[in-house]
Amino acid sequence: MSLYLPHFNLQNYNTLASPVCAEFFVSVKDEVELMAALKFAKENNLPLLFLGGGSNIVLHDDFPGLAIHIQFMGKELVREDLEHVYIKAAAGENWSDFVDYCLDEQFWGLENLSLIPGNIGAAPIQNIGAYGVELKDVFSELTALEIKSGLSITFTPEACQFGYRDSVFKNALKDQFIITSVTFKLTKSPSLKIHYPALRDALTNVSADKITPELVSQIVCDIRRSKLPDPKTIPNVGSFFKNPIVSTATLSAIQQSFPNVVAYPIDDNSVKLAAGWLIDKAGWKGFRQGAAVHEQQALVLTNPYRLSGSAVLEVAELIKASVLSTFGVELEQEPRSYP
Ligand code: FAD
Ligand code: EPU
């Protein structure tokens, strides 16, 4: 039977190391324990907070409800055809360990997504992405438990409505499902994606026959380590804002004053701007006021003194106002705030 721990400090359960408390905390390892936790919450009228690795949440105050740590474990090869393997992983498996496991087994497709923190269950929520690949590119299906009915439902790629840092679980179905497993469609022969600028640059002097998925994974890990702080030593939640999507007209207006602005084409009418570049150019790199702006990547806010998430939100507000007044661009927060 699961233990319901009262007044539980969540500092070790969020990578921002915010020292706030949940009214109750429980770890669940299977659907039976999860259903019991949902019953406990219903009977005691407690709001719910689902926790994976806690690497994409900002806890700015005590949580007046039940925090449920999803710890479903296990992975299996569910089927294969001539070209593909379908690997199912439970929600509580660590993402980065899963990527390494697939590389060891020579199941290809996840290499660009190496070293992203967090667990399998949260990965579809914002369709995690890095270095030219998103979860949707390797996704087959997922299972999720509907909170209201207790039914387990399978979601196809179409049903998930994946977008840039987005899915149906952040929109129409927000807070209605708990993801219990994800099945990935991986390839038996390598199919390398090396168009992302930083990755392409790192491979300039490597001959084509030497470029393997293992090498791509290693380079991605090296780039990440050079820019992104390790949350264990410097608490953070990765990118604090999404890269904003603006019209080509807005881009042209910005280019009048800032010809070097970094922009990626989306379609004929819109582009994605590098928010890190905007924040950097607006002069925020190295800023420190309780929370801080990371020296190597201005898109990452850090919490070196392990303060409440509210200290980080204060700095985020200053940055948003500054980017709006300098470039006329509105930034949207990427990690979700609680309560
Ligand atoms: P959590 O923070 O625990 O949860 C995130 C959200 O999902 C919360 O709303 C939570 O309630 C919900 N949730 C968690 N598990 C479940 C579940 N099983 N069912 C339903 N809801 C659930 N992200 C990228 O996309 N690309 C990157 O390159 C990247 N780099 C990062 C680098 C660093 C250093 C850090 C700290 C973060 C980075 N992130 C990146 C963000 C983060 O790693 C991802 O968003 C990750 O998927 C979060 O997983 P988690 O288990 O920690 O989620
Ligand atoms: N840049 C600067 N100064 C900075 C930061 C960035 O000039 O301080 C410039 C870089 O030189 C580069 C451009 O901005 O030209 C983009 O930078 P980078 O390649 O580091 O990527 P990003 O757009 O800042 C996004 C994701 C990351 C992901 C990387 C790699 C978002 C919000 N962030 O960052 O995801 O790892 O691309 O694909 O899309 C996360 O979501 O937490 C995350 C870390």
Side-chain angles (χ1 to χ4, degrees), residues 55-56 112 116-117 126 128-133 164-165 196-198 223-224 227-228 236-244 260 262-264 272-281 285 293-300 332 334-335:
S55 65
N56 214 29
N112 299 51
I116 297 179
Q126 70 155 2
I128 58 167
Y131 299 95
V133 173
Y164 165 61
R165 296 293 191 273
Y196 193 87
I223 299 172
R224 295 184 69 92
K227 291 187 181 190
L228 298 170
N236 74 91
V237 281
S239 299
F240 206 84
F241 302 101
K242 291 187 191 178
N243 284 330
N260 298 329
V262 179
Y264 309 100
K272 195 196 274 180
L273 300 179
W277 187 92
L278 300 175
I279 298 168
D280 188 357
K281 199 70 189 170
K285 208 174 239 185
V293 181
H294 192 53
E295 285 281 2
Q296 284 73 35
Q297 217 319 353
L299 192 47
V300 177
E332 185 189 340
E334 196 217 64

Side-chain angles (χ1 to χ4, degrees), residues 259-270:
N260 298 329
V261 60
V262 179
Y264 309 100
I266 301 272
D267 55 35
D268 287 350
N269 304 315
S270 49

Side-chain angles (χ1 to χ4, degrees), residues 15 50-57 70 91 116-119 121-123 125-126 128-130 165 177-179 224 228-229 231 236-238 336 338:
T15 64
F50 298 104
L51 287 173
S55 65
N56 214 29
I57 52 173
I70 309 289
I116 297 179
N119 294 349
I125 304 267
Q126 70 155 2
I128 58 167
R165 296 293 191 273
F177 282 87
I178 304 144
I179 295 172
R224 295 184 69 92
L228 298 170
N236 74 91
V237 281
R336 184 163 166 196
Y338 291 93

Side-chain angles (χ1 to χ4, degrees), residues 84-95:
H84 300 104
V85 286
Y86 294 79
I87 312 288
K88 183 176 182 174
E93 291 284 339
N94 175 269
W95 175 269

Side-chain angles (χ1 to χ4, degrees), residues 309-331:
S310 56
V312 184
L313 292 178
E314 277 170 29
V315 172
E317 283 308 315
L318 297 176
I319 290 174
K320 278 174 85 169
S322 153
V323 167
L324 185 60
S325 70
T326 311
F327 303 101
V329 172
E330 213 151 337
L331 293 180

